[in-house]
Every structure is written in structure tokens, then in C-alpha cells.
Amino acid sequence: MSDDRVTINEVGPRDGLQSQSRILPVSGRLRLVRALEAAGLSRIEAGSFVSPKAVPAMAETDVLLQSLKQSEPNGRVNYSFLIPNTKGYGLAREAGAESVAMVVYASETMARRNVRMGMMDAELAARKIIDLARGDGIEVIVIVAVSFRCPFEGAVDPAIVHRIADRFVDAGIHRLVLADTIGAADPAQVGTLLGALAGEHGPGALGCHFHDTRAMALANVYAALEAGVRWFDSSIGGLGGCPFAPGASGNVATEDVAVMLRQMGMETGIDAARLLEASDLATELTGTAPGGRVREWLRGQVGS
Ligand code: COA
Ligand code: ZN
């Protein structure tokens, strides 16, 4: 593999916490973000600007953002915030966000269940947000939900994802992230789709977001790496899941991805001992954090 630097975008504070039964106060969410920064994660999806009625765990993300800015450790961390619509964009901008992640959909039913918009309306909103963000100096990441399989409509036609990529990759976005929202993809499928997209758009335009429902998330990371992808979303403790996508379970664990990449000689900037501390904190705060597979082995290695 050519380039050995990989970006891990930590999504635990958003994807991880949004579906937990225990709702954390802002102070707990802030502690988790700080622990992740201390572990060397340089990109963190810290929260979302969504309806607090729809996702109570993400209420007061504006307060979290303020706290993050007030005590920023050394300015090297990029915090992004998930937004579902233009209202979310406005709230993120008002709060001072520098990076937003807008969601579009590879299935009509998933779009309607998640944000009560059609796929095309979500794409129109994303285009509008990209235009506004350009003027506001805000970075936009576009996430393609259910890129492989939809819990309502089943297998997703790769042509849909190609059409979305054609529409967004050159629209001035930072990255197009293909999400396996319910963790249904397999490595062969990932290799084929990401290989084709990387051939057309270049792997640097792309990222992947895998859930581990069928225990294939780490294998999917590897398949995407082989296709040249160097951006992966993952979640501390393997926390995660979408409240609006039945069957969605945890994200691929940051611990597992970090250890695999390091052993393969790739550079992520992550400190394993501090990552374990963040993982323990995630467990303490949520009362549950499955932690992927490698956590106990790692504990033996770092001697804690
Ligand atoms: N941030 C905060 N509040 C929002 C919002 C946003 N991005 N988008 C809509 N709202 C509020 C509206 O102001 C309204 O508030 P009110 O009841 O106090 O008047 C309420 O949500 C419902 O709005 P409505 O116009 O009926 O619905 P909508 O179609 O505009 O939007 C959703 C509703 C679906 C976008 C909203 O429920 C939502 O934020 N869902 C979260 C999706 C999510 O996070 N999924 C998981 C991650 S992919
Ligand atoms: Zn997810």
C-alpha cells in the first residue's frame, strides 16, 4: 500500500452516545472528547445539531462546542458536528462550528424515517449547505447513509452511490464518507464499490464508516484500505447505532482499528495507552461499551 498515513475520525461522542439509554450531561461528553484528544485523535465528531426531541442525548451540543472552544488544548483537533438539515446547519454555524457532517441517503425510506425528507430533498439541502458553508468558511463532510444496505429496502444499488458521488465529490466538500449504517456490508462488496469509486474520483476524496453488526467491520476496513481509502470513522469502545435504523449496532471500535493499522505499519497518531484510558472512561460514563475485540489484549500490552 502506498500512503501509510490514515485518518481516524472518532465518532463515539456522536454516533456512540446518540443511542445510549443513559443520557450524559455535557460535562460527561466533554470529558470523553478530552480523553480522546489526549489519546491523539485529531478528528472528532463531537455531537450533532438535531432536534432534542428526536435525539435527547445530543441536546445542548452548542454548550459542548462552547466548552470545547474555551479550553482547546492546542488547536490541533478538528471537531465536526453532524447536521440533518439546513436548520441544523444554521445552529452549528451560530454555535461556531468549523466543520459539519451533512447526511444524504442511498435509500428513500431511510431518508424519510431519519429526517422526514426524500433522498432528493436531502441532497438539495446538502447542496445548499455546501454553498452557504463556502461563504462561511466552514468545512463540509458528506455522509452517505445506508450505502450498502437499507433496513427497510434491502440491498442498495451501487449505481445510486455512484450518482451521489458524481454529484458531491467535486462540489467543494472535504470528504464523501460511505456509511454502512446497519453493518451489513461484506469485504468483497466494499472492495468492489470503493475500488470503483476510488478509480473514478481518487481515494483521497473518500472515507468509510462501518458498523460491526455482522462482525465484518474490521474486515471491511481492510478491504477499503486495499482500495486506497485512508479515512475511517470509528467509535471508542465500539459504541454506536442509529435510533432510526432498526438493527444498527455498534461502530467498529477505534481500539481495533488503531491496533490493526499500527501492526500493519500505518501511522494514525494514536497513543495506545491513552486510548485505553478513553475506552475505560467510555465504559464508566455509559455503563456499557463492548470495546471491540482487542481491548483486553491491549491492556496486557500497556501494562495497566
Ligand atoms: N436541530 C434542532 N431542532 C430541529 C432541527 C435541527 N436540526 N430540525 C428540526 N428541528 C426541530 C423543529 O424546530 C421542530 O421543533 P418544535 O417541535 O419545537 O417546533 C421539531 O424539530 C420538529 O420539526 P418538524 O418541522 O416537525 O420536522 P422536521 O422535518 O423539520 O425535522 C428532524 C425533524 C427529523 C430533522 C428531526 O427530528 C431530527 O433532528 N432528527 C434527528 C436525526 C438524527 O440525528 N438521526 C441520527 C443520526 S443520522
Ligand atoms: Zn453510524
Side-chain angles (χ1 to χ4, degrees), residues 36-54:
L36 292 160
E37 287 169 5
L41 284 147
S42 56
R43 279 200 165 256
I44 300 176
E45 197 171 288
S48 55
F49 286 93
V50 300
S51 161
K53 285 182 199 151

Side-chain angles (χ1 to χ4, degrees), residues 14-15 18 48-55 58 82-89 91 103 105 113-117 145 242-244:
R14 195 279 301 173
D15 208 343
Q18 74 180 5
S48 55
F49 286 93
V50 300
S51 161
K53 285 182 199 151
V55 188
M58 291 292 108
L82 183 129
I83 55 171
N85 51 19
T86 46
K87 174 164 178 136
Y89 177 76
L91 293 171
V103 189
Y105 301 85
R113 293 290 182 107
N114 199 30
V115 288
R116 290 189 248 148
M117 268 192 266
C242 174
F244 309 102

